Amino acid sequence: MSKAVLLIEDDAALRASVAQTLELEDITVTQAASYIEAVDHISANFDGVILSDIRMPGKDGFDVLSTAQTRDADLPVILLTGEGDVPT
C-alpha cells in the first residue's frame, strides 16, 4: 500500500491542518470537503486509506464507508468525529 490518504472533512481549517500534518510525514493527501467531492476518488484502484469525518452536511461518513465497501471491500476506511455520542 502506498502512503496516500483521501481526507474528507467539511471544516476547512481542520482539513488543512490534518492534511499538513500528514504531508509532513511524506503522505500524499487528496482533500475533499464533502462526499460529493470525494466520491470519484473512491475506487478499487485507490491505493491508500480513506480518513473521513462522520458528521457532514448531506451524505456523511457512513455513506463514505458504504460506498467504499461497495467499490472495494478491502479499502481501509477510518471514520472520525469530534462530536460523537454513545449511539454513534
Side-chain angles (χ1 to χ4, degrees), residues 2 13 29 31 38 43-44 48 84:
S2 73
V29 180
Q31 298 182 49
S43 70

Side-chain angles (χ1 to χ4, degrees), residues 2-9 14-32 41 46 49 51:
S2 73
K3 293 177 77 173
V5 171
L6 172 56
L7 173 61
I8 311 165
E9 169 61 57
L14 181 57
R15 186 175 62 252
S17 176
V18 172
Q20 181 180 35
T21 300
L22 293 169
E23 288 167 345
L24 287 171
E25 295 299 321
D26 293 323
I27 297 171
T28 303
V29 180
T30 301
Q31 298 182 49
H41 298 283
F46 181 68
V49 174
L51 177 59

Side-chain angles (χ1 to χ4, degrees), residues 24-88:
L24 287 171
E25 295 299 321
D26 293 323
I27 297 171
T28 303
V29 180
T30 301
Q31 298 182 49
S34 66
Y35 172 90
I36 298 300
E37 285 185 27
V39 71
D40 290 339
H41 298 283
I42 302 172
S43 70
N45 298 332
F46 181 68
D47 186 25
V49 174
I50 297 173
L51 177 59
S52 179
D53 187 10
I54 291 176
R55 295 189 179 184
M56 297 181 287
K59 294 194 174 209
D60 63 15
F62 293 112
D63 293 307
V64 170
L65 177 61
S66 177
T67 298
Q69 289 177 330
T70 299
R71 295 183 181 182
D72 181 353
D74 294 325
L75 185 59
V77 178
I78 300 169
L79 298 178
L80 299 173
T81 188
E83 302 177 26
D85 53 21
V86 174
T88 303

